[in-house]
Amino acid sequence: MSIENAAATAPIKVDIWSDIACPWCFIGKRKFEAGAAGFAGEVEIEYHSFELSPDTPVDFEGDEVEFLSTHKGIAPEQARQMLDNVGGIAASVGLKYDFDAMHHTNTVKAHQLIHFAKARGLQLDMKERLLAAYFEDGRHLGRLDVLADIADEAGLDRAEVLQSLENDEYLDAVRADQAQAQAFGINGVPFFVIEGKYGVPGAQEASAFQNVLETVAAEKRDAAVAE
């Protein structure tokens, strides 16, 4: 295979910082997936941990309207309107958010579970399962038994997962992701880093993701030819 052809077929690496409790992260995931589906090349995805509200207790007393109202300093009516708006956008990409059933919680243990799954080649599957569990199924992702159940459903060893979470086996990996986000200047999610040099913030439209992937692929081909 020629250098040019190798560059054309090499996957585009995409690092994504996101949080389980971020409604735009699930929406952005769907939009990115749609953009990647329209891209002729291959994409390699790796997720990284980001906590939007690290001070949130495991058992937050109140619903999502109360949390958003307190966190943003806005009236409950305005918070409900914001949630309705986000829910409508989520529905437009095939997601069924249930804010009334949602358990707002601390997400550090969920991030550790994603790293546990990553070490076993199941990171992408686990990320999808946790987002769906949080936003659509109303499962309490701050509780270790619930996380262990989800891991078991994904084919992982439940007892091994529980031991890992109880011992904070992957806490250092979570903190390393967060430190890298800080080094990149990332202060909001979702945030997509393409080939380690192009940053794309937010839940962009699918066409925007497709365009940036095509642009990066073309640059890689040009660079290979120039060599």
Side-chain angles (χ1 to χ4, degrees), residues 76-188:
E77 296 78 12
Q78 187 179 355
R80 169 56 69 183
Q81 186 176 16
M82 289 176 66
L83 292 176
D84 288 344
N85 178 59
V86 173
I89 295 172
S92 74
V93 294
L95 301 174
K96 298 178 180 179
Y97 283 7
D98 188 348
F99 289 113
D100 292 330
M102 188 178 298
H103 292 280
H104 203 87
T105 186
N106 190 287
T107 60
V108 69
K109 292 293 186 179
H111 283 297
Q112 290 185 52
L113 177 54
I114 293 172
H115 278 280
F116 181 98
K118 174 185 173 182
R120 291 152 181 83
L122 293 173
Q123 186 196 42
L124 300 186
D125 178 56
M126 185 56 66
K127 182 71 174 183
E128 175 70 21
R129 287 175 183 271
L130 290 175
L131 284 167
Y134 185 84
F135 284 105
E136 299 184 315
D137 303 333
R139 300 174 79 172
H140 195 324
L141 300 190
R143 295 181 178 169
L144 300 192
D145 60 328
V146 175
L147 292 174
D149 286 343
I150 294 172
D152 182 64
E153 292 159 13
L156 295 169
D157 185 282
R158 191 180 191 282
E160 188 180 357
V161 167
L162 271 176
Q163 183 179 25
S164 175
L165 295 177
E166 288 168 353
N167 294 331
D168 285 328
E169 180 183 10
Y170 288 96
L171 181 59
D172 286 348
V174 172
R175 298 302 182 223
D177 279 352
Q178 294 170 329
Q180 185 62 66
Q182 187 174 24
F184 280 157
I186 298 171
N187 51 29

